[in-house]
Amino acid sequence: MARKLAAGNWKMNGTLSALPEIEALADAHPDPAVDLLICPPVTLLAGAAGRLKGSAVALGGQDCHAEAAGAHTGDISASMLAEAGAAAVIVGHSERRENHNESSELVCAKAQAAHEAGLSAVICLGETEAERDGGRTLAVIGRQLDLSVPAAGTGANTVIAYEPVWAIGTGRTPTAAQIGEVHAFLRGRLTARFGPATGQAIRLLYGGSVKASNAAEIFAVAEVDGALVGGASLTAAAFSPIVTALEAAAG
Ligand code: PGA
């Protein structure tokens, strides 16, 4: 079975003064039983990579362009992230889908660009509150999954993060049963498309208001292979207990 994954998404937070938080996390988990990934702002990647040499904490970007290079002012390519020290990149976060009008087709192209640059893609999807209230959760998520994951997806290059939009940064989380329903659905859909080996190997993270106090309950849900954590990943003090809870769940 694939190792579980605790991933932190710093979003547009953190300046150079925050680098010691990543180091502190690495120091607190020198030999973790789970994979660790921090996705800081791109300005911190190279500096963090220098400090993390030999540690168990991997680094990731938060977005990349679908093309390898070109006239795209303000954008960054997957290979640039790789050169700066990233091993992964988040694509299709709901804040990108909403604020930058990103379609699942574009997210798929970005994931493909990540793969071509040797990065693993953490592909995010999730329903809005209106979609859940309207009983459309699985239909929305199924469509996002089908369109966002490249055909060449494998357990090594692809991670899926289920992040209900209404749970992100709100302190609200779905019930364990609701998370379990979506993760079982995602697992079934991946297995049907990619076959049992790859379908099982692609890790399924839950994201949206994960914190130390709810982590153990969420990690006990079937088919939850880890978490994508926003606010509670910004300090080692907040993130470390989540890592420990995931290690406990990994047994
Ligand atoms: P949150 O964000 O943990 O602050 O809710 C999660 C995310 O958006 O990835």
Side-chain angles (χ1 to χ4, degrees), residues 9 11 93-95 163 167-171 207-210 228-232:
N9 170 16
K11 310 191 180 187
H93 190 281
S94 65
E95 287 152 17
E163 300 205 308
I168 294 175
T170 59
S209 296
V210 175
L228 180 56
V229 183

Side-chain angles (χ1 to χ4, degrees), residues 4 175-177 179-181 183 204 206 210 213-227 242 244-251:
K4 292 182 184 285
T175 64
I179 296 172
E181 180 191 29
H183 279 239
L204 300 178
Y206 168 78
V210 175
S213 57
N214 62 20
E217 189 191 353
I218 290 168
F219 295 151
V221 176
E223 305 296 354
V224 172
D225 301 316
I242 295 172
T244 303
L246 188 61
E247 288 182 308

